[in-house]
Amino acid sequence: MDHSVLALPRSVLLALWLQEIGSGSAPVQRAVTAVQGDDEPHTVRVGEGTDLGAAATLPDLVAAWAAGPRAAAAALPVPGDPGGAPAAVAGPAVLAGECVLVHGLHGTFAAVPHVEEFGSAYEPGHLVTWEVARVPDWRPALVGQVGTLAEAERDLRTALIQATEALASLDVARWRPDAAEAIAALRSDVDPGWGLPPTLEGRRVRVLASAARLRAIVRLATADDGGAVNLWQADQRSTALREVDRAARRAMSSATHVPDAF
């Protein structure tokens, strides 16, 4: 199976590593390596008034944010559901499908990764630029937007039932045998090689894994309307799986957030 379908959003990885690292260069580079993966080295553009100095690369940005206590989380918005993204960056964050939120000594920020693809389907490449903006404090509202980790676990169980029922009723195996095989593989305990921080709590890892698998199932099942014989059936599939994706996105965001952090 192509493990890229299970890839975590870059903002999720960055938020998790920002909670882990100190200000030493070695931990910073370890975080950067995990976030960049196979991308070209990430660059940074900071808005006016961010007080982040000359941060032009991801190591610069991570080092600036790692200097002192901090809180971090990821938001995963889509059209019609801001998913915790601050209003000041909601438009770019929706287009990207993600942003990272940081509160620390320098203030409160949101950073949206702008991704440009190059190369071929066989040798893809990605150029990533993080657009950083100062935003109001996101912490008080985030739990209300995405819920607690306990709520996320409960909602994921419900979402799994909804996804199973939707896929069974739509007979995915008949009209998308390739998707059916990939979905079956996603149910196994594969190691997606995420490069998570080594001290990350097992409960949060489990939530991330369940959410990532559900999002991958939604993407595979809604890749086309090949199995829908009419518009009503297509709408039924879309409606059922949209709620599954919403629960998975909010669970993934919740797993990045430590409410009692600085």
Side-chain angles (χ1 to χ4, degrees):
M1 184 191 67
D2 179 4
H3 288 179
S4 65
V5 300
L6 280 175
L8 285 179
R10 295 169 179 86
S11 296
V12 168
L13 284 169
L14 182 53
L16 294 172
W17 275 99
L18 283 170
Q19 297 164 14
E20 167 83 6
I21 62 176
S23 57
S25 60
V28 166
Q29 189 54 52
R30 188 175 181 185
V32 169
T33 298
V35 174
Q36 288 182 165
D38 294 330
D39 299 339
E40 296 297 308
H42 292 192
T43 57
V44 173
R45 282 199 292 262
V46 295
E48 294 184 5
T50 55
D51 297 328
L52 291 173
T57 68
L58 187 58
D60 295 336
L61 184 64
V62 172
W65 279 338
R70 76 210 71 100
L76 304 169
V78 298
D81 179 9
V89 298
V94 166
L95 289 175
E98 60 176 297
C99 68
V100 66
L101 309 172
V102 180
H103 176 82
L105 294 180
H106 295 286
T108 306
F109 305 92
V112 179
H114 175 67
V115 182
E116 296 181 50
E117 297 182 358
F118 66 93
S120 67
Y122 302 102
E123 295 186 10
H126 300 89
L127 298 172
V128 180
T129 300
W130 293 85
E131 303 276 359
V132 184
R134 187 178 289 276
V135 297
D137 194 345
W138 47 267
R139 293 172 300 165
L142 189 65
V143 171
Q145 292 269 359
V146 303
T148 64
L149 196 60
E151 291 169 337
E153 290 179 304
R154 181 197 64 205
D155 292 345
L156 282 176
R157 287 192 291 269
T158 302
L160 180 59
I161 295 171
Q162 290 176 324
T164 301
E165 291 177 348
L167 297 177
S169 66
L170 294 169
D171 196 8
V172 170
R174 177 177 62 81
W175 54 267
R176 285 284 309 279
D178 58 329
E181 292 175 7
I183 288 168
L186 289 171
R187 294 172 181 155
S188 66
D189 293 326
V190 297
D191 178 8
W194 283 334
L196 296 172
T199 61
L200 189 63
E201 179 189 1
R203 185 185 187 190
R204 295 168 73 190
V205 175
R206 288 192 298 273
V207 169
L208 287 170
S210 296
R213 289 188 172 96
L214 279 175
R215 294 200 75 190
I217 286 172
V218 170
R219 286 194 295 271
L220 289 166
T222 57
D224 60 59
D225 290 327
V229 297
N230 54 47
L231 291 176
W232 178 85
Q233 190 180 43
D235 184 64
Q236 290 293 301
R237 179 170 69 205
S238 176
T239 299
L241 294 177
R242 188 183 303 118
E243 286 303 308
V244 172
D245 185 65
R246 178 178 178 273
R249 285 185 294 103
R250 294 193 171 201
M252 192 173 284
S253 180
S254 180
T256 69
H257 183 220
V258 181
D260 57 354
F262 167 80

